[in-house]
Amino acid sequence: MTQSSKDRWNELALFLVVTGAGVFALSSLAAFLIGDQDLSVHGLLVVLPSVLIGLGTARAHRRRRAASGGGG
């Protein structure tokens, strides 16, 4: 089963939005937890979980579309 261009763009947009929100949320949480301490958070500790959550969300969206017979 092939995916339409629109579906691919929707999946990419969903991935980017969820990843961006995850980076923002984890960065805010890290800043709140660290507070005034002079500790730095390694970027991978924020970006990697956010990317994994974004990929999982996009994959789940793709599977739901395929299961419901959704397509172009």
Short mmCIF file of all heavy atoms in Angstrom, two decimals:
data_model
loop_
_atom_site.label_atom_id
_atom_site.label_comp_id
_atom_site.label_asym_id
_atom_site.label_seq_id
_atom_site.Cartn_x
_atom_site.Cartn_y
_atom_site.Cartn_z
N MET A 1 0.84 -1.17 0.00
CA MET A 1 0.00 0.00 0.00
C MET A 1 0.89 1.24 0.00
O MET A 1 1.79 1.37 0.82
CB MET A 1 -0.90 -0.03 1.23
CG MET A 1 -1.74 1.20 1.38
SD MET A 1 -2.61 1.15 2.94
CE MET A 1 -4.23 1.47 2.37
N THR A 2 0.66 2.12 -0.92
CA THR A 2 1.47 3.32 -1.00
C THR A 2 0.79 4.45 -0.24
O THR A 2 -0.42 4.49 -0.09
CB THR A 2 1.68 3.75 -2.47
OG1 THR A 2 0.39 4.03 -3.04
CG2 THR A 2 2.38 2.67 -3.25
N GLN A 3 1.63 5.35 0.21
CA GLN A 3 1.15 6.49 0.97
C GLN A 3 1.11 7.70 0.06
O GLN A 3 2.02 7.94 -0.73
CB GLN A 3 2.11 6.76 2.13
CG GLN A 3 1.46 6.86 3.44
CD GLN A 3 2.47 7.15 4.55
OE1 GLN A 3 3.67 7.14 4.34
NE2 GLN A 3 1.96 7.40 5.71
N SER A 4 0.06 8.49 0.18
CA SER A 4 -0.02 9.69 -0.65
C SER A 4 0.93 10.75 -0.10
O SER A 4 1.37 10.70 1.04
CB SER A 4 -1.45 10.23 -0.66
OG SER A 4 -1.76 10.83 0.59
N SER A 5 1.23 11.72 -0.95
CA SER A 5 2.11 12.81 -0.56
C SER A 5 1.52 13.60 0.60
O SER A 5 2.23 14.01 1.52
CB SER A 5 2.34 13.72 -1.77
OG SER A 5 3.14 14.81 -1.40
N LYS A 6 0.21 13.77 0.58
CA LYS A 6 -0.46 14.51 1.66
C LYS A 6 -0.29 13.79 2.99
O LYS A 6 -0.03 14.43 4.02
CB LYS A 6 -1.94 14.68 1.33
CG LYS A 6 -2.71 15.43 2.37
CD LYS A 6 -4.17 15.54 2.00
CE LYS A 6 -4.97 16.17 3.12
NZ LYS A 6 -6.39 16.18 2.84
N ASP A 7 -0.42 12.47 2.98
CA ASP A 7 -0.25 11.70 4.21
C ASP A 7 1.18 11.81 4.74
O ASP A 7 1.40 11.92 5.94
CB ASP A 7 -0.60 10.23 3.98
CG ASP A 7 -2.08 10.01 3.79
OD1 ASP A 7 -2.87 10.88 4.21
OD2 ASP A 7 -2.44 8.96 3.22
N ARG A 8 2.13 11.78 3.84
CA ARG A 8 3.53 11.91 4.27
C ARG A 8 3.79 13.27 4.89
O ARG A 8 4.49 13.38 5.89
CB ARG A 8 4.48 11.66 3.10
CG ARG A 8 4.52 10.22 2.68
CD ARG A 8 5.70 9.94 1.77
NE ARG A 8 5.67 8.59 1.27
CZ ARG A 8 6.23 7.57 1.90
NH1 ARG A 8 6.81 7.76 3.04
NH2 ARG A 8 6.17 6.37 1.39
N TRP A 9 3.25 14.33 4.28
CA TRP A 9 3.43 15.68 4.83
C TRP A 9 2.74 15.80 6.18
O TRP A 9 3.26 16.43 7.10
CB TRP A 9 2.92 16.74 3.86
CG TRP A 9 3.87 16.99 2.74
CD1 TRP A 9 3.69 16.69 1.42
CD2 TRP A 9 5.17 17.58 2.82
NE1 TRP A 9 4.80 17.05 0.69
CE2 TRP A 9 5.72 17.60 1.52
CE3 TRP A 9 5.93 18.09 3.86
CZ2 TRP A 9 6.98 18.12 1.25
CZ3 TRP A 9 7.19 18.61 3.59
CH2 TRP A 9 7.71 18.61 2.30
N ASN A 10 1.55 15.21 6.32
CA ASN A 10 0.85 15.24 7.60
C ASN A 10 1.65 14.51 8.67
O ASN A 10 1.74 14.96 9.82
CB ASN A 10 -0.54 14.61 7.47
CG ASN A 10 -1.51 15.50 6.73
OD1 ASN A 10 -1.30 16.70 6.61
ND2 ASN A 10 -2.56 14.90 6.21
N GLU A 11 2.21 13.38 8.30
CA GLU A 11 3.01 12.61 9.25
C GLU A 11 4.26 13.38 9.66
O GLU A 11 4.63 13.41 10.84
CB GLU A 11 3.40 11.28 8.61
CG GLU A 11 4.07 10.32 9.55
CD GLU A 11 4.37 8.99 8.88
OE1 GLU A 11 3.64 8.58 7.97
OE2 GLU A 11 5.36 8.36 9.29
N LEU A 12 4.91 14.03 8.71
CA LEU A 12 6.10 14.83 9.01
C LEU A 12 5.74 16.01 9.92
O LEU A 12 6.45 16.31 10.88
CB LEU A 12 6.74 15.34 7.72
CG LEU A 12 7.96 16.25 7.90
CD1 LEU A 12 9.09 15.50 8.59
CD2 LEU A 12 8.41 16.80 6.56
N ALA A 13 4.63 16.67 9.61
CA ALA A 13 4.19 17.80 10.44
C ALA A 13 3.88 17.35 11.86
O ALA A 13 4.26 18.01 12.83
CB ALA A 13 2.97 18.47 9.81
N LEU A 14 3.20 16.22 12.00
CA LEU A 14 2.89 15.68 13.32
C LEU A 14 4.18 15.37 14.08
O LEU A 14 4.32 15.72 15.27
CB LEU A 14 2.03 14.42 13.19
CG LEU A 14 1.63 13.75 14.49
CD1 LEU A 14 0.71 14.66 15.30
CD2 LEU A 14 0.95 12.42 14.20
N PHE A 15 5.14 14.75 13.42
CA PHE A 15 6.43 14.44 14.04
C PHE A 15 7.12 15.71 14.53
O PHE A 15 7.59 15.79 15.66
CB PHE A 15 7.32 13.70 13.04
CG PHE A 15 8.78 13.65 13.45
CD1 PHE A 15 9.19 12.85 14.50
CD2 PHE A 15 9.71 14.41 12.78
CE1 PHE A 15 10.52 12.81 14.87
CE2 PHE A 15 11.03 14.39 13.15
CZ PHE A 15 11.45 13.58 14.20
N LEU A 16 7.16 16.74 13.67
CA LEU A 16 7.85 17.98 14.04
C LEU A 16 7.17 18.71 15.19
O LEU A 16 7.84 19.22 16.09
CB LEU A 16 7.96 18.89 12.82
CG LEU A 16 8.89 18.39 11.71
CD1 LEU A 16 8.81 19.32 10.49
CD2 LEU A 16 10.32 18.27 12.21
N VAL A 17 5.84 18.75 15.17
CA VAL A 17 5.11 19.43 16.23
C VAL A 17 5.29 18.71 17.57
O VAL A 17 5.57 19.34 18.60
CB VAL A 17 3.61 19.56 15.87
CG1 VAL A 17 2.78 19.97 17.06
CG2 VAL A 17 3.43 20.55 14.74
N VAL A 18 5.15 17.39 17.57
CA VAL A 18 5.29 16.63 18.81
C VAL A 18 6.73 16.70 19.32
O VAL A 18 6.96 16.87 20.52
CB VAL A 18 4.85 15.16 18.60
CG1 VAL A 18 5.21 14.29 19.79
CG2 VAL A 18 3.35 15.11 18.35
N THR A 19 7.70 16.61 18.43
CA THR A 19 9.10 16.70 18.83
C THR A 19 9.40 18.08 19.40
O THR A 19 10.05 18.21 20.44
CB THR A 19 10.03 16.39 17.65
OG1 THR A 19 9.77 15.06 17.19
CG2 THR A 19 11.50 16.49 18.06
N GLY A 20 8.93 19.13 18.74
CA GLY A 20 9.15 20.49 19.24
C GLY A 20 8.52 20.72 20.59
O GLY A 20 9.13 21.32 21.49
N ALA A 21 7.30 20.24 20.77
CA ALA A 21 6.63 20.37 22.07
C ALA A 21 7.38 19.58 23.14
O ALA A 21 7.51 20.05 24.28
CB ALA A 21 5.19 19.89 21.95
N GLY A 22 7.89 18.41 22.77
CA GLY A 22 8.65 17.61 23.72
C GLY A 22 9.95 18.28 24.14
O GLY A 22 10.31 18.28 25.31
N VAL A 23 10.65 18.87 23.17
CA VAL A 23 11.89 19.58 23.49
C VAL A 23 11.60 20.75 24.42
O VAL A 23 12.30 20.96 25.42
CB VAL A 23 12.60 20.06 22.20
CG1 VAL A 23 13.70 21.06 22.52
CG2 VAL A 23 13.17 18.87 21.44
N PHE A 24 10.54 21.50 24.11
CA PHE A 24 10.18 22.63 24.95
C PHE A 24 9.81 22.17 26.36
O PHE A 24 10.28 22.74 27.36
CB PHE A 24 9.02 23.41 24.33
CG PHE A 24 8.54 24.54 25.19
CD1 PHE A 24 9.27 25.72 25.27
CD2 PHE A 24 7.37 24.44 25.91
CE1 PHE A 24 8.86 26.76 26.07
CE2 PHE A 24 6.93 25.47 26.72
CZ PHE A 24 7.68 26.64 26.80
N ALA A 25 9.00 21.14 26.45
CA ALA A 25 8.56 20.65 27.77
C ALA A 25 9.72 20.11 28.58
O ALA A 25 9.85 20.42 29.77
CB ALA A 25 7.48 19.58 27.59
N LEU A 26 10.57 19.29 27.96
CA LEU A 26 11.70 18.73 28.70
C LEU A 26 12.72 19.79 29.06
O LEU A 26 13.33 19.74 30.14
CB LEU A 26 12.35 17.60 27.91
CG LEU A 26 11.55 16.32 27.83
CD1 LEU A 26 12.25 15.31 26.93
CD2 LEU A 26 11.32 15.72 29.20
N SER A 27 12.93 20.78 28.20
CA SER A 27 13.85 21.88 28.52
C SER A 27 13.32 22.70 29.69
O SER A 27 14.07 23.07 30.59
CB SER A 27 14.04 22.79 27.31
OG SER A 27 14.63 22.09 26.25
N SER A 28 12.02 22.97 29.67
CA SER A 28 11.41 23.72 30.76
C SER A 28 11.49 22.94 32.07
O SER A 28 11.79 23.51 33.12
CB SER A 28 9.95 24.03 30.45
OG SER A 28 9.85 24.82 29.29
N LEU A 29 11.22 21.65 32.00
CA LEU A 29 11.30 20.82 33.19
C LEU A 29 12.73 20.77 33.74
O LEU A 29 12.94 20.89 34.95
CB LEU A 29 10.82 19.40 32.87
CG LEU A 29 10.84 18.41 34.03
CD1 LEU A 29 9.88 18.84 35.12
CD2 LEU A 29 10.50 17.02 33.53
N ALA A 30 13.69 20.62 32.86
CA ALA A 30 15.09 20.58 33.29
C ALA A 30 15.49 21.91 33.92
O ALA A 30 16.16 21.94 34.96
CB ALA A 30 16.00 20.26 32.11
N ALA A 31 15.08 23.02 33.32
CA ALA A 31 15.41 24.33 33.87
C ALA A 31 14.76 24.52 35.24
O ALA A 31 15.36 25.08 36.16
CB ALA A 31 14.96 25.43 32.91
N PHE A 32 13.53 24.04 35.38
CA PHE A 32 12.83 24.15 36.66
C PHE A 32 13.49 23.30 37.73
O PHE A 32 13.66 23.73 38.87
CB PHE A 32 11.36 23.74 36.49
CG PHE A 32 10.58 23.73 37.76
CD1 PHE A 32 10.20 24.92 38.36
CD2 PHE A 32 10.24 22.53 38.37
CE1 PHE A 32 9.48 24.92 39.55
CE2 PHE A 32 9.53 22.51 39.55
CZ PHE A 32 9.15 23.71 40.15
N LEU A 33 13.87 22.07 37.37
CA LEU A 33 14.47 21.17 38.35
C LEU A 33 15.88 21.59 38.74
O LEU A 33 16.27 21.44 39.90
CB LEU A 33 14.48 19.74 37.81
CG LEU A 33 13.12 19.08 37.66
CD1 LEU A 33 13.26 17.70 37.04
CD2 LEU A 33 12.41 18.99 39.00
N ILE A 34 16.64 22.11 37.79
CA ILE A 34 18.01 22.51 38.09
C ILE A 34 18.01 23.82 38.87
O ILE A 34 18.79 24.00 39.79
CB ILE A 34 18.83 22.64 36.79
CG1 ILE A 34 19.06 21.25 36.21
CG2 ILE A 34 20.15 23.32 37.05
CD1 ILE A 34 19.73 21.25 34.86
N GLY A 35 17.10 24.72 38.52
CA GLY A 35 16.98 25.98 39.25
C GLY A 35 18.21 26.84 39.12
O GLY A 35 18.70 27.11 38.03
N ASP A 36 18.73 27.27 40.26
CA ASP A 36 19.86 28.20 40.28
C ASP A 36 21.21 27.50 40.30
O ASP A 36 22.24 28.14 40.39
CB ASP A 36 19.76 29.12 41.50
CG ASP A 36 18.59 30.07 41.39
OD1 ASP A 36 18.20 30.40 40.26
OD2 ASP A 36 18.06 30.48 42.45
N GLN A 37 21.20 26.18 40.23
CA GLN A 37 22.46 25.45 40.25
C GLN A 37 23.20 25.68 38.93
O GLN A 37 22.60 25.93 37.90
CB GLN A 37 22.21 23.96 40.44
CG GLN A 37 21.50 23.63 41.74
CD GLN A 37 21.12 22.17 41.83
OE1 GLN A 37 21.45 21.40 40.95
NE2 GLN A 37 20.43 21.82 42.88
N ASP A 38 24.51 25.59 38.99
CA ASP A 38 25.33 25.78 37.79
C ASP A 38 25.58 24.47 37.08
O ASP A 38 26.71 24.10 36.78
CB ASP A 38 26.66 26.45 38.15
CG ASP A 38 26.49 27.90 38.54
OD1 ASP A 38 25.52 28.51 38.05
OD2 ASP A 38 27.31 28.41 39.32
N LEU A 39 24.53 23.74 36.82
CA LEU A 39 24.63 22.47 36.10
C LEU A 39 24.07 22.65 34.70
O LEU A 39 23.10 23.37 34.50
CB LEU A 39 23.85 21.38 36.82
CG LEU A 39 24.30 21.05 38.25
CD1 LEU A 39 23.33 20.06 38.87
CD2 LEU A 39 25.71 20.49 38.25
N SER A 40 24.68 22.00 33.78
CA SER A 40 24.15 22.06 32.42
C SER A 40 23.57 20.69 32.06
O SER A 40 24.05 19.66 32.51
CB SER A 40 25.23 22.45 31.42
OG SER A 40 26.24 21.47 31.38
N VAL A 41 22.53 20.72 31.26
CA VAL A 41 21.90 19.48 30.81
C VAL A 41 22.41 19.18 29.42
O VAL A 41 22.40 20.05 28.54
CB VAL A 41 20.36 19.64 30.80
CG1 VAL A 41 19.70 18.39 30.25
CG2 VAL A 41 19.87 19.94 32.20
N HIS A 42 22.86 17.97 29.21
CA HIS A 42 23.33 17.57 27.89
C HIS A 42 22.15 17.58 26.93
O HIS A 42 21.06 17.10 27.26
CB HIS A 42 23.96 16.18 27.98
CG HIS A 42 24.80 15.85 26.80
ND1 HIS A 42 24.27 15.41 25.62
CD2 HIS A 42 26.13 15.93 26.61
CE1 HIS A 42 25.24 15.20 24.75
NE2 HIS A 42 26.37 15.51 25.33
N GLY A 43 22.34 18.13 25.75
CA GLY A 43 21.26 18.27 24.78
C GLY A 43 20.59 16.96 24.40
O GLY A 43 19.39 16.92 24.14
N LEU A 44 21.36 15.89 24.38
CA LEU A 44 20.79 14.59 24.02
C LEU A 44 19.75 14.11 25.02
O LEU A 44 18.83 13.39 24.67
CB LEU A 44 21.88 13.53 23.87
CG LEU A 44 22.68 13.57 22.58
CD1 LEU A 44 23.76 12.49 22.60
CD2 LEU A 44 21.79 13.40 21.37
N LEU A 45 19.89 14.53 26.27
CA LEU A 45 18.92 14.14 27.30
C LEU A 45 17.57 14.79 27.08
O LEU A 45 16.57 14.35 27.63
CB LEU A 45 19.45 14.48 28.69
CG LEU A 45 20.69 13.71 29.14
CD1 LEU A 45 21.16 14.21 30.50
CD2 LEU A 45 20.42 12.22 29.19
N VAL A 46 17.54 15.84 26.30
CA VAL A 46 16.30 16.53 25.99
C VAL A 46 15.80 16.16 24.59
O VAL A 46 14.63 15.84 24.40
CB VAL A 46 16.48 18.06 26.10
CG1 VAL A 46 15.27 18.80 25.59
CG2 VAL A 46 16.78 18.46 27.53
N VAL A 47 16.71 16.17 23.63
CA VAL A 47 16.32 15.97 22.24
C VAL A 47 15.99 14.51 21.93
O VAL A 47 14.97 14.23 21.27
CB VAL A 47 17.43 16.48 21.29
CG1 VAL A 47 17.10 16.17 19.85
CG2 VAL A 47 17.61 17.98 21.47
N LEU A 48 16.78 13.58 22.40
CA LEU A 48 16.57 12.18 22.06
C LEU A 48 15.21 11.65 22.52
O LEU A 48 14.49 11.05 21.70
CB LEU A 48 17.71 11.31 22.60
CG LEU A 48 17.66 9.84 22.20
CD1 LEU A 48 17.76 9.70 20.69
CD2 LEU A 48 18.77 9.07 22.87
N PRO A 49 14.80 11.85 23.77
CA PRO A 49 13.46 11.37 24.15
C PRO A 49 12.36 12.05 23.35
O PRO A 49 11.35 11.42 22.99
CB PRO A 49 13.35 11.72 25.63
CG PRO A 49 14.73 11.93 26.11
CD PRO A 49 15.52 12.37 24.93
N SER A 50 12.54 13.32 23.04
CA SER A 50 11.53 14.05 22.27
C SER A 50 11.40 13.50 20.86
O SER A 50 10.29 13.34 20.34
CB SER A 50 11.87 15.54 22.21
OG SER A 50 11.91 16.08 23.51
N VAL A 51 12.52 13.19 20.24
CA VAL A 51 12.50 12.61 18.90
C VAL A 51 11.86 11.23 18.92
O VAL A 51 11.05 10.89 18.05
CB VAL A 51 13.93 12.54 18.31
CG1 VAL A 51 13.98 11.68 17.06
CG2 VAL A 51 14.44 13.95 17.99
N LEU A 52 12.17 10.43 19.93
CA LEU A 52 11.57 9.10 20.03
C LEU A 52 10.06 9.18 20.23
O LEU A 52 9.31 8.41 19.64
CB LEU A 52 12.22 8.31 21.17
CG LEU A 52 13.69 7.93 20.94
CD1 LEU A 52 14.26 7.24 22.18
CD2 LEU A 52 13.85 7.07 19.71
N ILE A 53 9.61 10.12 21.04
CA ILE A 53 8.17 10.31 21.24
C ILE A 53 7.52 10.78 19.93
O ILE A 53 6.45 10.31 19.56
CB ILE A 53 7.91 11.30 22.38
CG1 ILE A 53 8.33 10.68 23.71
CG2 ILE A 53 6.44 11.72 22.43
CD1 ILE A 53 8.37 11.66 24.86
N GLY A 54 8.19 11.70 19.23
CA GLY A 54 7.67 12.17 17.94
C GLY A 54 7.58 11.05 16.91
O GLY A 54 6.58 10.93 16.19
N LEU A 55 8.60 10.21 16.85
CA LEU A 55 8.58 9.08 15.91
C LEU A 55 7.47 8.10 16.26
O LEU A 55 6.77 7.59 15.38
CB LEU A 55 9.93 8.36 15.91
CG LEU A 55 11.07 9.05 15.18
CD1 LEU A 55 12.37 8.31 15.42
CD2 LEU A 55 10.77 9.16 13.70
N GLY A 56 7.31 7.82 17.55
CA GLY A 56 6.26 6.91 17.98
C GLY A 56 4.87 7.45 17.65
O GLY A 56 3.99 6.70 17.22
N THR A 57 4.68 8.73 17.84
CA THR A 57 3.39 9.35 17.53
C THR A 57 3.10 9.30 16.03
O THR A 57 1.98 8.97 15.62
CB THR A 57 3.37 10.80 18.02
OG1 THR A 57 3.66 10.81 19.43
CG2 THR A 57 2.02 11.44 17.78
N ALA A 58 4.10 9.63 15.21
CA ALA A 58 3.91 9.60 13.77
C ALA A 58 3.64 8.16 13.29
O ALA A 58 2.80 7.94 12.41
CB ALA A 58 5.14 10.17 13.06
N ARG A 59 4.32 7.20 13.88
CA ARG A 59 4.10 5.80 13.50
C ARG A 59 2.69 5.35 13.88
O ARG A 59 2.02 4.66 13.11
CB ARG A 59 5.14 4.92 14.18
CG ARG A 59 5.02 3.47 13.81
CD ARG A 59 6.12 2.66 14.45
NE ARG A 59 6.02 1.28 14.01
CZ ARG A 59 6.38 0.26 14.74
NH1 ARG A 59 6.89 0.45 15.94
NH2 ARG A 59 6.26 -0.96 14.29
N ALA A 60 2.25 5.73 15.07
CA ALA A 60 0.90 5.37 15.51
C ALA A 60 -0.14 6.01 14.59
O ALA A 60 -1.15 5.37 14.24
CB ALA A 60 0.68 5.81 16.95
N HIS A 61 0.10 7.24 14.18
CA HIS A 61 -0.81 7.93 13.26
C HIS A 61 -0.88 7.19 11.92
O HIS A 61 -1.95 6.98 11.37
CB HIS A 61 -0.35 9.37 13.04
CG HIS A 61 -1.14 10.11 12.02
ND1 HIS A 61 -2.43 10.53 12.24
CD2 HIS A 61 -0.83 10.50 10.76
CE1 HIS A 61 -2.87 11.15 11.16
NE2 HIS A 61 -1.93 11.14 10.26
N ARG A 62 0.29 6.77 11.42
CA ARG A 62 0.34 6.05 10.15
C ARG A 62 -0.41 4.72 10.25
O ARG A 62 -1.15 4.35 9.35
CB ARG A 62 1.79 5.79 9.76
CG ARG A 62 1.93 5.10 8.41
CD ARG A 62 3.38 4.84 8.00
NE ARG A 62 4.36 5.57 8.73
CZ ARG A 62 5.34 5.01 9.44
NH1 ARG A 62 5.45 3.71 9.51
NH2 ARG A 62 6.22 5.74 10.08
N ARG A 63 -0.22 4.02 11.36
CA ARG A 63 -0.91 2.73 11.54
C ARG A 63 -2.42 2.91 11.65
O ARG A 63 -3.18 2.10 11.12
CB ARG A 63 -0.39 2.02 12.77
CG ARG A 63 0.99 1.44 12.54
CD ARG A 63 1.42 0.65 13.75
NE ARG A 63 2.64 -0.07 13.41
CZ ARG A 63 2.99 -1.19 13.96
NH1 ARG A 63 2.23 -1.74 14.89
NH2 ARG A 63 4.10 -1.79 13.61
N ARG A 64 -2.87 3.95 12.34
CA ARG A 64 -4.30 4.21 12.44
C ARG A 64 -4.89 4.51 11.07
O ARG A 64 -5.97 4.06 10.74
CB ARG A 64 -4.58 5.38 13.38
CG ARG A 64 -4.77 4.98 14.82
CD ARG A 64 -5.37 6.09 15.62
NE ARG A 64 -4.69 7.38 15.48
CZ ARG A 64 -3.69 7.79 16.24
NH1 ARG A 64 -3.24 7.02 17.21
NH2 ARG A 64 -3.15 8.96 16.04
N ARG A 65 -4.16 5.30 10.28
CA ARG A 65 -4.63 5.65 8.93
C ARG A 65 -4.71 4.39 8.07
O ARG A 65 -5.66 4.20 7.30
CB ARG A 65 -3.72 6.68 8.26
CG ARG A 65 -3.64 8.00 8.93
CD ARG A 65 -4.65 8.97 8.49
NE ARG A 65 -4.60 9.15 7.04
CZ ARG A 65 -5.54 9.78 6.38
NH1 ARG A 65 -6.55 10.30 7.00
NH2 ARG A 65 -5.46 9.90 5.08
N ALA A 66 -3.72 3.52 8.18
CA ALA A 66 -3.69 2.31 7.38
C ALA A 66 -4.80 1.35 7.82
O ALA A 66 -5.44 0.71 6.98
CB ALA A 66 -2.33 1.62 7.49
N ALA A 67 -5.04 1.26 9.12
CA ALA A 67 -6.06 0.35 9.63
C ALA A 67 -7.47 0.79 9.24
O ALA A 67 -8.34 -0.02 9.00
CB ALA A 67 -5.96 0.23 11.13
N SER A 68 -7.67 2.12 9.18
CA SER A 68 -9.00 2.63 8.84
C SER A 68 -9.20 2.72 7.34
O SER A 68 -10.25 3.15 6.87
CB SER A 68 -9.22 3.99 9.48
OG SER A 68 -8.37 4.97 8.89
N GLY A 69 -8.19 2.35 6.58
CA GLY A 69 -8.28 2.42 5.12
C GLY A 69 -8.15 3.83 4.59
O GLY A 69 -8.49 4.11 3.47
N GLY A 70 -7.63 4.72 5.45
CA GLY A 70 -7.47 6.11 5.05
C GLY A 70 -6.37 6.25 4.01
O GLY A 70 -5.38 5.56 4.04
N GLY A 71 -6.56 7.12 3.14
CA GLY A 71 -5.57 7.39 2.10
C GLY A 71 -6.08 8.50 1.23
O GLY A 71 -7.20 8.94 1.35
N GLY A 72 -5.19 9.00 0.38
CA GLY A 72 -5.48 10.11 -0.49
C GLY A 72 -6.81 10.24 -0.93
O GLY A 72 -7.82 10.40 -1.16
#
